[in-house]
Amino acid sequence: MLSKSEIKIYPHQMITELQQNKIKMAKMVSCLQEHSAITSWIKENICKRQCYFFDKDDSSPKSKPDVCKCGYPKTDHVNEAIKSEDFTGESWNRHRHVREVPTDAFGDITFGSLGQKPGKYARVSTNTSPDILYQLLTEQWKLSPPNLLISVTGGAKDFYLKARLKNMFRRGLIKVAQTTGAWIITGGTHVGVMKHVGQAVRDNVLSCSSTQGRVVAIGVATWGIIHNRDSLVYSEGCFPAQYVMDVKGQGRLSNLDNNHTHFLLVDDGTHGHYGVEIELRSRLEKCISEKHLGNRESGATIPVVCVVLDGGPGTLNTMYNTILNGTPCVVLEGSGRVADLIADVAELPLSQITIALIHQLMKKFFSQAYDNFTDLEIITWTKMIQDIIRRPHLLTVFRVSEECHWDVDVAILQALLKASRTNKSQGTEYWKSQLELAIAWNRVDIAETEIFTEDSQWESSELHWAMFSALVGNKPEFVRLLLENGVSLREFLQDEQTLRELYTRLPNCIFLSKLAKRVQSSRKQLLKTRGQSHLGQEKIITMSHVSDEVRHLLGSFTKPLYPSSTMTYPFKMTIEDISLSVSKNQTVSEGSLRATIVEERDPGKDLFLWAVVQSNKELAEIAWEQCRDCTSAALAASKILKKMAEDIKDTDKAEEMKELANHYEKHAIGVFSECYNSDQERAQKLLVRASPLWGRTTCLRLALEANDKSFVAQSGVQNLLTQIWCGGLSVDNPVWRVMTCMVFFPLIYTKFLVFRRDEVIQREAEKSEEIKRVATVTGSTLQTNYADLEPASQWRLTPLGMWSRLVCLYSSPQVKFYWNIVFYFAFLLLFAVVLMMDFQATPSAWEVLLYIWLFSLVCEEVRQLFHDPDGFGFRKKATMYIQDLWNILDVLSILLFIIGLAFRLISTLFYAGKIVLCIDFVVFCLRLMAIFTISRTLGPKIIIVKRMMMDMFFFLFLLSIWVVAYGVAKQGILINNDSRLDWIFRGAVYEPYLTIFGNFPTNIDKVTFDINSCSMSGTDPLKPKCPVLDDNQNPVFPEWLTITLLCVYLLFANILLLNLLIAIFNFTFEEVQDNTDRIWKFQRYELIKEYHSRPAAPPPFIILSHIYLLISKMVMCRQSTTSKEFKNELPQAEDEELLSWESLMKDRYLLTTQQEQSQSMEQRILDTAQKVSTISDQLERDEETGSTPLEKRLARLENQVLQSSRALQWIMDNLKSLGVAKESQVPTLITKDETPDTPEEEDGLHVNARQFFYPNTKLTRFPVPDEKVPWEVRYRLYKPHYYSSEDSGDHVDGSESETLNKYRNPGGRTGIRGKGALSRLGPNLNVDLVLTRCRSNERSALEFLAIWDENQGTMVLPGGPVESADHLPVSLKEIMGKKLYETIDAKVSEGIKVFEGYVDDCRNTDNAWVENTVLNIHLDGINQVMVDINNMVASSSGPLQWQEVSSKTRLSPSQIDSLQQVAELHNRKF
């Protein structure tokens, strides 16, 4: 038998468990759908590689006899591969005998670690498109696109790292990944550098909270070398796959690292071959680097940085290719082997990096492995290292030393900065000064692209000054940028002094003037109370002043937003600290204490309020996005702005404030709509929740005070009001059923009337049935717990009892309203009976009942006036009472009744009293129209009637002009000197007014005139005076005139004005019709609230309720309580949960709004313009930094010019030695390289001509280190390939070999023989023309002619290939025209050769090279050639331009040097 404790039922716990199980079930269904979608997508797009020809490997060990040359055993091959007849007699080939099939290994992967989240993996083919892999990572695996890609490469075997370097590497790598949102890409195995990266990720997971972002570590490994990979194979995907790490039994294979988050397992169809993934990984990194950073409209791409630790030959090759592609590399000194070798030579001059030095360093760092390297491999290493060192802007060495105070993350970000600019970073202070300048210039693009690319080195406190400057300087883009880059508003506004200083620095606005007046008033009051000695502390603005002014704008019903100066606490004070401080002043409850803390812990609200009071839309928008209670904040902003718009005199500013108020009303509508669509119950709870952050008022109250009709008209708000209106009754009950139950109340105990509690119980029962049905179908454990569901539900939601049903019926505002209508009709009936049948000198019983009834109405009006649950105060409440039209009618009817009663009790005024009471009855009847305000059909029509009454008032004013004009004229013509005012009014006003409605006068026409209907002398009080008569008693007035006046009057009054009235009414109806529903919904609230707070008994029985309320208030001193239907104080935990949910809905709303805005035509045009501007700026920056391909090519041309100068000098020296010319006639060429033995010549060795990869081919040059470049130096191993673009082979016969030997590159060896891509063996001549002029006179600015190169996209010197340097390039003939070309070509002999010699070109070979000649031709301003050139430049409109000879000119470095020599030639400053 069970004990009592065991048989107890815990309904709360069971309901909670049931809800949790329901949530788990929903998540399970969602996961199944997601897995199904991923499976179908991967099968369609991802393949693996599989061997289809089993060819036994004879070199395999005897223990594994049946092994294919692909590395897999025979059992792992498909049947058609073993019995293949298609490849009979063939030898196994990886490209032919390996095919792609849909992959069979993908899904989630777990390593059995406690608390570790599952990762993602997929087996992919080597030929997989990197775009598909990127789509897999971002769309299917839901990874956010990276802001930075960190490729970590290095040793693939375990190596030792010093503790300090290891900690700095791990900490810095994770830090930069977290702060920039980077992806980390490694080899993915549990060995070497990949293991160190995995451990860094693991340490981050253990030390960070769940709210912080997860570091993305992607392992790109070779499928064929993965140990225990069979557990990952399943054709439909593994969700999850249990991977077991077996380090001891892995042999030559490798385990996956258990700390990586994603794995791409690259398969080429082989087993046991390392390095298969290198090519695909390189293509993937390049693909990612080409993706746009952030949004697609941005011209910037995702930056990539390579981090090198340890490493062998493969690491050096990877680093070399990375450097050649322009990707910066960070080398960690002290990690071993290649990394240490590069770090040792990084700061050496190139002349000291020799083959002998590399021999020595390799022997030092590789120890025993050094003996395995051949001489050619070491020479190749030397050449690759020299090329790496030649690009110092792409190489950063992280050195660990005692003076090093920064981590690897700073080195990584510095490497990115070095790669994008020529000047080197000077540390944090340098960037601080740069940021300060950027803020001052308001160049957020500079800060975004140049400074905040390494945002991890900025702490929030370091950017507070920048945030303050951006706020005060009204730079919203910088505020957003700083918030996006780590500035914490909580830390920024932690000190009240900062917020107070912000209000002190407000721009000139109405709020500042009001605040200044309040401060001045406070100073005067303090001067009176405390004296002059205490005046100094009140000279500045305090938060108490701000709170008082904001409370004035919001309304007195709100609490102060900021506590007084004696009650302010910092953000991080605990409850105990605050309670100790508060206890010294006053006693507070724990709830109010917590509320005080909550009020002070939302810096987003503080910043938003600061921006709103100055009507700054951009800053307010940014701050609103940071607010916690965003709906209340938006409605409060609407109220504040509308209030300030009423007080400001500037109409334009008032309109701007109203527009901004409407903007935030739309924000509130948008957020609440998202909330209501997501969860109706929580959304309605959000409406009536007391907001601690905004004066403990509600969203609904703020919307009503701000007159936000659109917000109140939302279906969610109206449904809440309808629920309040119906009280405990269901909103679906028909009116006739409710009214029937009002009379025959026993029907409520049947199902004739539905109560809300019954609906909730039924809904919960349906949910329970649904849960039970799902549990039964899926076999979930929910069905075992279902037996406890029904008792729990009944415990929480029991049906209403008999008394409760009766109370719910008669306390419903709807029922109260119907009873009041019924009794109001009874009151009018009693009133009418008394007036018409029982109004005697002595009041009868019915009349006394009428007086008692009226007294109860008076008492109810008094109660409504003083009933103030919202805390408005009597003045505000009285103002609101008088502003209601129905209350005005109530007061008017009561006052008239009191006056009539007073007259009625006086015998002499008895009849007058009855008249007043009759008029009062009319007013009471008009008050009856209020019953229609609750009707959805008639309620809006009453609003239209009100508007039409205003229109009719102005129409009557216009009509009265015509009535009076016609009436006075008619009366004057017909009647002579009538002294009776009543008949004058009848004739001048009353009769013309009746004429409009068809009652035409008879005295204006002699035919219809009757003398008996009037009085001759005007003495008969019952007849009008007759018109002027002649002796025959006939009227003498001009009949034609009176009839004409009548016709004209009827034409204007009856036709024109009445139709005008109809048109006005129609216009008003059309104009108001769209808004009447919204206005009616807004005004409906007051009626619902009135009857919600109204006693249940209708008048006259309501007097009993008034007596009870009076006794409770005056005798028992009970405080009035606020109904939870209109204001609900939530517990702190529930309030925080509700605000978190609201923030989520706000983010969803902002995302939706942003998407809608981005799809608009205007936004697309702006985005296109921004994209073009971004690309233009990027090109300009590339030109300035020299990183564009154009400038690289121009730099090679500069080297070619230098080499051509050397060759020409050699030719002149030979001619001189042969005696062809006299020594005095030989011109001297001044070059930088006079002798081949000087260090300067070593620095001038051609570099581009020795690049490993020959351009536009797959050929690789033979490695030529710097010391082996000169032909004079012996190079025993030198065996370059032959290449000529015209030949298909790579060989040359003996005769051609002799021909090649006749031509030797003057710059030295290049690593390839033949013509290459050049047109001929030997020198290939090129000419650059520098055509100069003086702008106005001989000493004015020197200018040169530049042309636009469409291929390079920049200005260049006119030039091109030539057959002889004595003529201009033929390509210039199309640009200049034939005549001008021939004229300038004739002047070539007069020109001065600025440079002539060899050019370091990437096309150069050992037997063919480029030589360049730079020719300067100076033209006079009066020359005809000059005039022709100027006309040509003017007609070209761009392709040809005169530019000043200056160092600021954007040309290639070699052409800049040529311009400098031209400037020196003409004695001009450069």
Side-chain angles (χ1 to χ4, degrees), residues 196-207:
H196 285 286
V197 173
Q199 290 173 347
V201 176
R202 179 200 61 193
D203 295 342
N204 171 71
V205 173
L206 295 177
S207 61

Side-chain angles (χ1 to χ4, degrees), residues 25 230 553 1025 1227 1362 1381:
M25 181 63 65
D230 293 338
L553 294 173
K1025 188 177 181 179
V1362 295
Y1381 171 82

Side-chain angles (χ1 to χ4, degrees), residues 1143-1156:
S1143 298
L1144 180 63
M1145 296 299 103
K1146 176 190 67 175
D1147 296 338
R1148 185 182 299 177
Y1149 160 72
L1150 291 175
L1151 180 61
T1152 304
T1153 304
Q1154 185 178 5
Q1155 291 175 351
E1156 293 177 354

Side-chain angles (χ1 to χ4, degrees), residues 74 94 118 177 260 325 404 421 442 636 774 814 857 1187 1416 1447:
K74 185 176 182 178
R94 179 170 61 89
H260 281 62
N325 291 331
C404 179
R421 59 173 65 88
N442 198 22
V774 173
Q814 182 183 15
L857 294 179
S1187 60
N1416 173 228
S1447 59

Side-chain angles (χ1 to χ4, degrees), residues 874-885:
F874 180 78
R875 179 180 299 178
K876 173 67 174 179
K877 186 68 177 179
T879 303
M880 294 173 60
Y881 182 87
I882 295 300
Q883 288 176 349
D884 190 353
L885 174 63

Side-chain angles (χ1 to χ4, degrees), residues 94-107:
R94 179 170 61 89
H95 300 287
R96 175 169 171 77
H97 300 131
V98 176
R99 300 177 181 175
E100 287 190 349
V101 294
T103 187
D104 58 355
F106 59 90

Side-chain angles (χ1 to χ4, degrees), residues 1173-1334:
S1173 177
T1174 303
I1175 294 175
S1176 177
D1177 294 341
Q1178 185 69 30
L1179 290 175
E1180 291 180 2
R1181 285 194 296 269
D1182 290 343
E1183 291 174 359
E1184 293 174 357
T1185 55
S1187 60
T1188 58
L1190 170 64
E1191 293 185 345
K1192 291 181 180 180
R1193 292 175 61 186
L1194 294 178
R1196 290 193 292 269
L1197 289 176
E1198 182 182 6
N1199 292 329
Q1200 291 173 2
V1201 171
L1202 182 61
Q1203 296 299 328
S1204 300
S1205 176
R1206 294 180 189 171
L1208 186 58
Q1209 183 66 46
W1210 177 79
I1211 293 173
M1212 290 193 308
D1213 291 342
N1214 288 335
L1215 292 175
K1216 181 180 176 181
S1217 62
L1218 294 175
V1220 176
K1222 295 182 180 180
E1223 184 174 355
S1224 59
Q1225 296 176 347
V1226 177
T1228 302
L1229 293 179
I1230 302 176
T1231 64
K1232 294 183 179 179
D1233 309 305
E1234 296 291 343
T1235 61
D1237 298 328
T1238 57
E1240 288 77 4
E1241 182 176 335
E1242 292 180 357
D1243 293 339
L1245 297 175
H1246 55 196
V1247 176
N1248 297 327
R1250 290 184 292 134
Q1251 291 180 357
F1252 264 115
F1253 304 103
Y1254 195 81
N1256 301 323
T1257 67
K1258 295 183 179 180
L1259 290 177
T1260 303
R1261 296 180 188 265
F1262 196 87
V1264 182
D1266 289 357
E1267 57 190 293
K1268 298 296 185 180
V1269 172
W1271 294 106
E1272 295 81 4
V1273 178
R1274 184 182 177 186
Y1275 195 178
R1276 179 176 54 85
L1277 300 177
Y1278 187 61
K1279 296 180 180 180
H1281 295 288
Y1282 172 85
Y1283 172 69
S1284 177
S1285 59
E1286 299 174 355
D1287 299 333
S1288 59
D1290 60 352
H1291 62 279
V1292 60
D1293 57 23
S1295 60
E1296 291 179 346
S1297 178
E1298 294 178 359
T1299 304
L1300 293 178
N1301 291 333
K1302 295 180 181 179
Y1303 299 96
R1304 276 193 171 186
N1305 191 316
R1309 297 182 178 91
T1310 63
I1312 196 167
R1313 303 174 64 210
K1315 290 191 298 182
L1318 296 176
S1319 59
R1320 61 168 61 89
L1321 294 174
N1324 292 258
L1325 301 181
N1326 188 82
V1327 171
D1328 284 341
L1329 177 63
V1330 184
L1331 203 61
T1332 57
R1333 72 169 186 180
C1334 294

